[in-house]
Amino acid sequence: MNERITEDIVRTHLKADPLFSQAILEEQKSKNPRIEKALKSASKSGGGVGKPEFILTFPAVADFMIVIECKADATRHESSKRNRYGDFAVDGVLLYASHLSRHYDVLAIAVSGQDIASAKVSHFVWNRRKPAPEETPDRRLLSLQSYLAAYKGRVVAAQVEGLKLTEKAVEYNEFLHQYSIPETERATFISAILVALQDDAFRTSYRLLETPADLAASIIDAASRVLTRHGIDADRRDLVLSQYKTIQNQDIAKSPTVKRINTPAPVPNTILREITIDIEEHVFPLTTSGEQGYDVLGRFYTEFIRYSGSDARTGLVLTPQHITRLFCELVGLTTDDIVIDPCCGTGGFLTAAMQYMWDKAGNDHDLKERIKSKQLIGIERRVDMFTHACSNMMMRGDGKSNIYRGDCFDPELQAKVQKLDPTVAMLNPPYDVGAAGQLHFVETAMELLGKGRCVAICQMSTAVSADGDVVDARRRLLEKHTLEGVVGMPQDLFHPVGVVTCVMVFRANTPHPAGYKTYFGYWRDDGFVKRKRKGRISDGSWPDKKKKMLDSFINRESRPGLSVMQSVAAADEWCAEAYMKTDYSGLSDDEFTTTIKNFVAFRLTESRVPVPITTRAASKTKRRLNERKWSEFRIDALFEVRKGRRLTKADMELGETPFIGAIETNNGLTNRIEGEPQHPGNTVTVVYNGNSVAEAFYQEQPFWCSDDVNVLYPRFEMSPEIGLFVATILRREKYRFSYGRKWNKARMETSMIQLPASNGEPDWAFMLAYMRGLPFSADLQPAGAPKRRQVLRAAE
C-alpha cells in the first residue's frame, strides 16, 4: 500500500472544490508564523517539528483552519487509546490539533485507505476554548462550503446561548400583553416582522416611516417580496399575506395613541417600531450565517408561539419539543426518509424531523439542502395555522418545502402528495373530532405512505374506548397496518391544556399478524415538572429516562413498571396499564401504617358515632409481608362492585348521612346530607374519576356516594383491618388509571389484585394478624372484640 495514493485522493478532492480558490493549501509545513510556532514541538515521535499531510487555511476566516493526516492502510485508522501518533491517522491528526488549537479553532480530519469509495474518514472539531476535541458524525470528505458552514454555525450557536431565545420570547410576549394584544394575534404579528426583516430594503428604510400605518404597510410589502424570493407560489403567498394584513386593522397600526394596562392615559403608539427595532438589533444579527442562522430565526419563532399560543384560546396545542424529537427516534428516521404531517399545525413535527435528519447529515451541506427542500411535506386546513407552518419552515431557510393548505382527506391533494413518495408520517390529529375521528386521521396518513412508518400522538380514548365507531377504526387499522407499539404519555404533557395522550407507532401497509405481540409502554414520567409562569420544565433526567424507554422499545422488552409485550385485537385496550404486572417488591409496612393512621385520625375528627379508643399496644407478634406467597385474584371474585348515584349540589340537603365523593383525603367524606344511606358500612370505596383517580378508602359507617365512586361489597367476612389492607393494595393499582382510562365498574370487576394466599385462597387471617402488628392498629376497634380475637388466634 502507498500513502501517496491516499494523499492524492485528498488533494484531488480539495482542488476540485468550488471554494478551493479562496483557501490556502500547504503540505508538511506552513509559512504562517502562528502555525509554524504551534507545530514546532508537535512531532509524532516527540521533541521535533510536526509535519501534517495537509494544512488548509482561509484568509477570510482568520481563526479557523483544517489539518489532515493520511494513512495508506484502513486498518491503521485509529488505535484504541489514540496514543500511537506515528502509526494511526486519527492519533496523529489529534496530536497536531492539540498544538494548533492553542491558536485556532481546528477541524482535524483523518483519512485512511486506497480508494475514495471505501476510505475511512473521521472528523474532529477542537475549539481553542475547549480542552478536548469533539467528534462529528461525518464519515466521508465533504465540501469546503460544508466545513465553513459548520464552523460559522458553531460561532452562531455560542452567540445564541448568550441571547437565550426563550427569555426574548417571554419578553416580547409580555410587552405585547401590556398593550392588550390577544394571544391569538401575537404569533402572526411577530411572524410578519421576522419575515419582513429578511428584506434589505425594509431594514434600511423602516425607521424613517412616520406613522404606525406606514410601518404596517411596509411590513406587508416587505413580507411579500421575501415570500416571492423564497419561492412561495402565488396561492400560498396570498394566503399568508391575508393573515399578515390583519395587522393593519388593529389599533397598533391605525391609532396614533394606545392604552397601556394599568396606565390611566393613552400613550404614543410606538409598539411596531419598538419591537421591530429590538428584534433587528438582538435576534436578526444571528440569522446571517447560513443554515445555523436560519435555525436561530426558526427556533426563536417556535419559542415565541409556544409561549404565546399553547392554550385553549388560540387552538395552538403544541407538541413539546422533546416529544417531537422522540417521534424521530421511535421511527428510526434516516436522512433518506421523506416525512409527511397531514395536519401539520405550526410545523412542529416537520421542523423536528428536519433538525433530526440534519444532525444525522453532520456537516454535509448538500445533503442538508436536499432534506429541507425535498423531504418535508405538510398539509394544514386552517389558514392561520398554515401561515405559521409556512413561516416556521421558511425561517429555517426552506423556501421550497411542500406545505399545502387544504384537507388531507381531499383525494386530489392526496394524489399530489403521494407522488412525492413519503416514507414516514408524524401527526398530532385535532382532538375535537373525537376518538374515532383521530384514528381516521392516522388511517389517512398511512394511506399516503408506501410500506413506511407512522407515529401519532392521540387522546388515550383512541386506545381504550369500547365505543363501536372507535373499535371499528382500530379494526380497520389492524387489517392494513401493524401496530408496533403504544406508549402512554405524562398526564400533564400539554399543560395548561388538560388532555391524557398516548403515542401509537405503526408499520404502514403491512397487515397486523395474528398473535403478533405489540409493545406497550408506561412512559408517564418524562422528568418534567410544572412551575408557575414557566409551564413544564425539565429536571434534567429526561435523557436518561428516554434512553431506558427507547432501549426497551427497540429491543421489544417487558420491564416492570415500564413496558409489557402483549398481543391485542381491535376490541382490546391498547395500553400498558391493561397488561402490566404491578410491582409489589417495594410494598412496605409504612404504606399500611399510613393507611391505618389516616383512618384513625379520620374517626377521631369526623365520626359521629362514639368509638372507644384502647390504649393497648400493637400485637407483639409482628408478621412480615413476605411470609406468605402472594397470588392474583379478580376483584369480582372477592367483592360485588356497585356504582354510586349522581347527586347534584342543588339536590343536596345538609344532614347526618356521610357523602363520599371524588377527593383523595378525609376518607372520601365531602359532606353530610339528608336522606337514608345507599350503602352499608364495612365496605371499601374507590374513586374512579375526578381529582383522585383510584383512591381507595375503608368505610365503617353506612353512607351515600357519588356516581364516580365504586363500592366494593365483600363476599367474605371483612374486618376494619382487612378492609384497610385491601384499600392499601388497591392504591397500588392506581397508576393504571387516569382521566383517559377510568376505573369504572366494568374494568374494576375484571381487574386483578395480589394478596397473600394459602391453598389458592386469600389468607384473610394472615392479613388480619399482619395489620394487628402495626402501629395504631389497636385503635381500630374497641378492646375485646371477640370475632377479631378468634381470627387473630387462628392466624398466630
Side-chain angles (χ1 to χ4, degrees), residues 365-381:
H365 175 78
D366 294 337
L367 178 54
K368 288 183 175 181
E369 285 294 315
R370 188 188 79 197
I371 288 167
K372 70 182 182 181
S373 64
K374 297 182 179 180
Q375 295 176 220
L376 304 162
I377 309 166
I379 302 173
E380 177 52 47
R381 180 179 57 83

Side-chain angles (χ1 to χ4, degrees), residues 1-10 69-77 89 110-121:
M1 294 186 181
N2 190 337
E3 194 169 296
R4 303 291 84 78
I5 295 175
T6 312
E7 292 172 6
D8 282 342
I9 290 172
V10 175
E69 183 69 5
C70 300
K71 290 295 175 187
D73 188 351
T75 64
R76 313 291 282 183
H77 187 66
V111 183
S112 58
Q114 300 283 280
D115 179 79
I116 187 64
S118 60
K120 287 187 176 180
V121 181

Side-chain angles (χ1 to χ4, degrees), residues 302 324 346-356 376 389 392-393 396:
T302 298
T324 58
T346 63
F349 286 124
L350 298 178
T351 57
M354 182 175 75
Q355 188 61 56
Y356 186 84
L376 304 162
N392 208 351
M393 297 305 294
R396 285 174 162 82

Side-chain angles (χ1 to χ4, degrees), residues 489-773:
M489 291 285 99
Q491 295 193 27
D492 56 0
L493 182 68
F494 287 96
H495 175 79
V497 178
V499 59
V500 181
T501 57
C502 64
V503 171
M504 296 183 178
V505 184
F506 288 92
R507 188 164 68 249
N509 297 302
T510 301
H512 191 89
Y516 181 81
K517 288 191 175 181
T518 295
Y519 174 94
F520 291 99
Y522 185 77
W523 295 6
R524 297 293 189 186
D525 180 10
D526 62 355
F528 281 66
V529 293
K530 289 184 289 187
R531 291 289 183 267
K532 190 174 182 180
R533 295 196 179 119
K534 294 184 179 180
R536 298 181 82 242
I537 61 174
S538 174
D539 66 4
S541 63
W542 169 241
D544 291 338
K545 289 178 177 177
K546 181 179 70 171
K547 183 180 185 304
K548 185 186 297 183
M549 294 168 181
L550 287 172
D551 283 349
S552 69
F553 176 77
I554 292 168
N555 297 307
R556 302 181 63 77
E557 295 175 343
S558 293
R559 296 188 184 180
L562 181 67
S563 59
V564 63
M565 300 297 298
Q566 177 72 31
S567 59
V568 293
D572 296 323
E573 292 186 290
W574 291 4
C575 64
E577 293 91 324
Y579 309 110
M580 280 198 311
K581 298 292 185 183
T582 300
D583 182 9
Y584 282 76
S585 62
L587 197 62
S588 68
D589 293 349
D590 289 343
E591 288 184 51
F592 294 96
T593 299
T594 298
T595 301
I596 296 172
K597 182 171 63 175
N598 289 342
F599 178 74
V600 170
F602 165 76
R603 281 206 319 186
L604 286 171
T605 57
E606 295 288 351
S607 178
R608 300 291 177 89
V609 178
V611 180
I613 301 300
T614 179
T615 57
R616 283 184 309 167
S619 169
K620 293 181 180 180
T621 306
K622 183 173 176 58
R623 311 306 294 264
R624 295 188 306 277
L625 289 169
N626 61 3
E627 283 184 38
R628 292 290 189 273
K629 179 181 178 181
W630 288 55
S631 299
E632 285 190 330
F633 299 94
R634 265 180 63 134
I635 287 180
D636 62 357
L638 307 176
F639 297 91
E640 178 189 354
V641 182
R642 299 184 185 179
K643 184 179 177 180
R645 198 169 84 192
R646 178 174 295 275
L647 185 66
T648 65
K649 287 186 177 180
D651 294 331
M652 282 186 185
E653 293 184 18
L654 297 181
E656 292 297 315
T657 298
F659 182 81
I660 307 302
I663 62 172
E664 58 184 340
T665 57
N666 205 39
N667 216 57
L669 180 68
T670 60
N671 215 331
R672 290 184 181 272
I673 64 172
E674 187 66 38
E676 293 297 316
Q678 284 181 305
H679 305 282
N682 200 36
T683 51
V684 174
T685 57
V686 181
V687 177
Y688 70 84
N689 196 8
N691 296 322
S692 50
V693 176
E695 191 59 52
F697 300 105
Y698 171 72
Q699 302 299 335
E700 184 177 37
Q701 300 174 18
F703 60 95
W704 184 299
C705 68
S706 63
D707 60 347
D708 47 11
V709 175
N710 287 331
V711 184
L712 276 57
Y713 285 63
R715 301 185 188 277
F716 57 92
E717 187 175 340
M718 188 168 73
S719 67
E721 291 92 342
I722 293 173
L724 293 168
F725 188 101
V726 171
T728 305
I729 295 299
L730 288 169
R731 290 193 198 106
R732 273 264 156 176
E733 302 295 323
K734 70 185 299 179
Y735 73 95
R736 299 183 186 276
F737 305 99
S738 66
Y739 305 122
R741 183 178 188 258
K742 302 172 184 176
W743 208 2
N744 56 28
K745 182 175 181 292
R747 283 199 182 98
M748 184 167 289
E749 288 172 335
T750 59
S751 294
M752 308 291 287
I753 60 172
Q754 292 187 41
L755 294 171
S758 177
N759 298 320
E761 297 293 331
D763 194 337
W764 304 118
F766 169 78
M767 291 179 234
L768 177 59
Y770 168 77
M771 295 292 278
R772 277 293 285 128

Side-chain angles (χ1 to χ4, degrees), residues 249-428:
N249 299 323
Q250 301 170 10
D251 286 343
I252 56 171
K254 295 191 304 181
S255 175
T257 61
V258 288
K259 182 72 169 61
R260 186 171 181 171
I261 293 176
N262 299 325
T263 302
V267 297
N269 180 9
T270 60
I271 300 173
L272 272 176
R273 180 182 300 276
E274 287 180 46
I275 202 164
T276 303
I277 290 173
D278 199 89
I279 291 174
E280 184 193 12
E281 291 181 349
H282 294 97
V283 179
F284 197 76
L286 302 179
T287 68
T288 57
S289 299
E291 294 162 357
Q292 294 292 333
Y294 281 126
D295 190 45
V296 172
L297 209 57
R299 284 171 57 196
F300 169 74
Y301 181 59
T302 298
E303 285 298 317
F304 185 88
I305 59 177
R306 183 175 305 282
Y307 184 86
S308 70
S310 187
D311 60 32
R313 288 171 291 181
T314 64
L316 295 177
V317 182
L318 302 178
T319 306
Q321 288 177 314
H322 69 294
I323 301 301
T324 58
R325 175 82 178 192
L326 177 67
F327 270 40
C328 302
E329 294 166 307
L330 282 170
V331 296
L333 199 62
T334 73
T335 55
D336 293 325
D337 279 312
I338 298 174
V339 179
I340 183 168
D341 183 346
C343 42
C344 68
T346 63
F349 286 124
L350 298 178
T351 57
M354 182 175 75
Q355 188 61 56
Y356 186 84
M357 289 191 284
W358 272 18
D359 291 344
K360 291 278 187 182
N363 295 314
D364 191 333
H365 175 78
D366 294 337
L367 178 54
K368 288 183 175 181
E369 285 294 315
R370 188 188 79 197
I371 288 167
K372 70 182 182 181
S373 64
K374 297 182 179 180
Q375 295 176 220
L376 304 162
I377 309 166
I379 302 173
E380 177 52 47
R381 180 179 57 83
R382 282 178 50 174
V383 176
D384 56 342
M385 294 288 193
F386 172 80
T387 299
H388 296 314
C390 284
S391 302
N392 208 351
M393 297 305 294
M394 192 186 70
M395 281 187 274
R396 285 174 162 82
D398 177 21
K400 301 181 180 66
S401 64
N402 298 289
I403 309 293
Y404 298 93
R405 193 262 169 173
D407 191 334
C408 66
F409 302 112
D410 176 8
E412 185 176 336
L413 182 53
Q414 289 179 351
K416 184 182 295 185
V417 165
Q418 285 174 318
K419 290 179 181 178
L420 300 174
D421 297 322
T423 60
V424 171
M426 298 181 179
L427 67 154
N428 180 356

